[in-house]
Amino acid sequence: MTVNECLAAATDSVTIINDINSKGKASEYVMASDYSKGVTQADLNAKVRASIEHLTLILEYDGSRGNPNIKDATVDKSSYTTAITTGNTYLSKNS
């Protein structure tokens, strides 16, 4: 997988964070852990947290273990770092 292919796949996490940040419980990217209670803030936070962790992991790829070297790549990674910041801000306001 190339740097660009890997970042393209990571874009899903950017989309999830931004959608939950703007739509909250109306986000199409979150499912209730208990359908009788509907989507809870804990469900939203778990999805945002998982997306942050996914992006952080991908941005740390250094070319080892068969992964592309994203950490040192000169491509624009601002949408990913911005999503991590947005997600962390969301969690601090909603925890």
Side-chain angles (χ1 to χ4, degrees), residues 1-7 54 56-73:
M1 186 176 275
T2 68
V3 168
N4 287 334
E5 289 169 336
C6 196
L7 288 175
H54 178 239
T56 301
L57 176 71
I58 297 235
L59 292 177
E60 289 296 317
Y61 283 0
D62 61 4
S64 63
R65 297 188 287 162
N67 294 317
N69 188 350
I70 294 174
K71 187 175 184 177
D72 298 322

Side-chain angles (χ1 to χ4, degrees), residues 11-61:
T11 301
D12 287 348
S13 289
V14 172
T15 301
I16 290 166
I17 290 168
N18 290 333
D19 195 67
I20 291 172
N21 185 55
S22 64
K23 296 180 183 172
K25 291 180 182 181
S27 173
E28 64 186 271
Y29 296 101
V30 108
M31 294 174 57
S33 57
D34 179 348
Y35 288 105
S36 67
K37 295 180 181 177
V39 174
T40 65
Q41 190 61 54
D43 295 327
L44 295 167
N45 290 354
K47 191 69 170 183
V48 170
R49 192 170 293 108
S51 297
I52 291 169
E53 290 170 1
H54 178 239
L55 290 173
T56 301
L57 176 71
I58 297 235
L59 292 177
E60 289 296 317
Y61 283 0

